Amino acid sequence: MAFASLPRAPPLLARFSGPRRGAGARAMAPPRCLALELPGCTLAHLAVGAGAADARPDPGAAALLGAPGRSFSLFVPVAPGGDCAARVRAARLHQRLLRQLRAGPLRGCQLHRLLCYCPGGGPDGVHRGVLLRDPGDSPDTRRALLALLDSHVEAPRPRLGEFVGSPRHELWHFLWELQDGRGWRQVGPEPVVRAPEPALHPVVPDLPGSGVFPDREAARAVLEACTPFIPEARAVLDLVDQCPEQAQKGKFPVIVIEGLDATGKTTVTQSVAESLKAVLLKSPPACISQWRKLFDDEPTIVRRAFYSLGNYIVASEIAKESTKSPVIVDRVEVSYQRMENPGCHVVDASPSREKVLQGVLSLIQNECN
């Protein structure tokens, strides 16, 4: 049995892309569509490149990204079929870029999230990015962005694009390419037009490459890729490897209590555990909770791998302790949602602590006899 409050759905990401011409185009083959996240979490879908070449000029696209002001695209490429280590490196680079864009000479620009993709989940996969909007169209913005690219020499290297409007309400996209020993040059242009909303969300085909883990090994592979720069990841993996892959729950009930912060959840869990003489477990478990802040500062794919593996450790602890006594779990929400008919009940936490505790105990007694 479990008690839980339902979490809010996460905000939708934005997406961007654009194929390029020239010598570098054949090697990288960027995506051909984008969906840009606008204020209010609305999305603008655009098509870039050869697929939009025959389309009529689109005043809507030009008004969105053209004058007044100037817009730039910046995204982190991930090689098609890239391994787990490549995805982790790209995610960390994307996070670092966002921090740099929000500071220094670029902090006055507007930032919008975007995601590069191919229609229908093509072979190039999905690339996270950002659209930077300079309302003042300052030449210093372009110089600062190119200097930012110069500071990133390791792979994967960020890709910079620039949107330019024309008096005929056309919108064009240029990519900046580094020439050997000769600095940066523009490649293009490529036409940009509005595109219809896709029937399938672009990230769905790429779910196996995101922070959604179908099993323990998928999450483990992410932390394994982090061990060169996060030494604590090895300690987490060693603890996970000590857990049996198929943990069998004992005969005593397992009660998960979930809730928002500052709702009295911790007080209730402790009181219930004392009343039932139960073992109290927490997620993430105590053996890895000292590294929680460290992993919270990492990109989503790393952070979710840490918490996912923490759930497997808790599941192993639950299986062991439930052979001896009832188990109260403070927050394994993900684990019990995977159970068949977990028996969730929502408890109003607004009354006094004593009434909330009495209501929880009454539910437990009715459900668990």
Side-chain angles (χ1 to χ4, degrees), residues 167-183:
R168 298 176 52 194
H169 303 296
E170 298 168 327
L171 184 64
W172 301 94
H173 180 250
F174 294 83
L175 279 165
W176 285 92
E177 186 178 76
L178 185 62
Q179 303 177 91
D180 294 337
R182 291 178 291 174

Side-chain angles (χ1 to χ4, degrees), residues 18-32 49-50 75 77 80 118 124 127 159 173-178 185-190:
R20 63 193 292 184
R21 299 175 183 174
R26 293 182 293 276
M28 182 183 170
R32 296 186 300 277
F75 66 93
C118 283
D124 291 330
H127 311 278
R159 300 286 179 173
H173 180 250
F174 294 83
L175 279 165
W176 285 92
E177 186 178 76
L178 185 62
R185 65 163 183 156
Q186 280 189 333
V187 178
E190 304 167 312

Side-chain angles (χ1 to χ4, degrees), residues 36 61-74 110 112 130-135 137 141-142 145 160-165 171-174 176:
L36 171 67
L64 187 65
L65 301 177
R70 189 175 296 263
S71 297
F72 299 86
S73 63
L74 190 65
Q110 304 165 1
H112 302 278
V130 63
L131 182 124
L132 184 142
R133 176 75 172 165
D134 176 15
D137 193 11
T141 300
R142 183 189 292 118
L145 285 169
L160 177 65
E162 184 173 343
F163 294 93
V164 178
L171 184 64
W172 301 94
H173 180 250
F174 294 83
W176 285 92

Side-chain angles (χ1 to χ4, degrees), residues 211-257:
V212 179
F213 307 108
D215 51 42
R216 183 167 78 173
E217 287 309 307
R220 194 187 186 287
V222 172
L223 252 58
E224 188 72 50
C226 295
T227 54
F229 43 84
I230 308 179
E232 293 81 357
R234 174 54 59 192
V236 176
L237 291 172
D238 290 342
L239 290 169
V240 171
D241 290 341
Q242 298 172 23
C243 301
E245 291 194 15
Q246 297 295 332
Q248 298 297 319
K249 176 186 167 300
K251 64 179 181 179
F252 287 92
V254 176
I255 301 152
V256 180
I257 299 181

Side-chain angles (χ1 to χ4, degrees), residues 340-359:
E340 184 177 354
N341 300 321
C344 297
H345 297 271
V346 178
V347 177
D348 182 7
S350 58
S352 65
R353 182 182 68 178
E354 291 75 15
K355 287 186 178 181
V356 172
L357 175 60
Q358 198 58 44

Side-chain angles (χ1 to χ4, degrees), residues 176-306:
W176 285 92
E177 186 178 76
L178 185 62
Q179 303 177 91
D180 294 337
R182 291 178 291 174
W184 295 93
R185 65 163 183 156
Q186 280 189 333
V187 178
E190 304 167 312
V192 182
V193 297
R194 297 295 287 260
E197 182 176 355
L200 184 66
H201 195 286
V203 301
V204 172
D206 195 57
L207 284 179
S210 67
V212 179
F213 307 108
D215 51 42
R216 183 167 78 173
E217 287 309 307
R220 194 187 186 287
V222 172
L223 252 58
E224 188 72 50
C226 295
T227 54
F229 43 84
I230 308 179
E232 293 81 357
R234 174 54 59 192
V236 176
L237 291 172
D238 290 342
L239 290 169
V240 171
D241 290 341
Q242 298 172 23
C243 301
E245 291 194 15
Q246 297 295 332
Q248 298 297 319
K249 176 186 167 300
K251 64 179 181 179
F252 287 92
V254 176
I255 301 152
V256 180
I257 299 181
E258 175 63 72
L260 298 175
D261 292 338
T263 58
K265 174 171 51 63
T266 299
T267 301
V268 170
T269 55
Q270 292 173 343
S271 300
V272 170
E274 293 171 1
S275 300
L276 299 179
K277 296 182 174 54
V279 174
L280 176 59
L281 300 177
K282 294 186 177 183
S283 180
C287 59
I288 66 170
S289 60
Q290 69 267 31
W291 301 311
R292 185 174 179 178
K293 178 63 171 65
L294 173 68
F295 284 94
D296 279 346
D297 290 336
E298 290 294 322
T300 300
I301 188 173
V302 177
R303 185 170 64 250
R304 288 181 177 173
F306 169 76

Side-chain angles (χ1 to χ4, degrees), residues 311-333:
N311 284 335
Y312 284 104
I313 296 175
V314 171
S316 178
E317 294 177 349
I318 289 173
K320 178 181 177 181
E321 298 297 338
S322 63
T323 63
K324 300 176 289 186
S325 68
V327 177
I328 308 297
V329 186
D330 183 349
R331 213 171 241 179
V332 206
E333 181 184 7

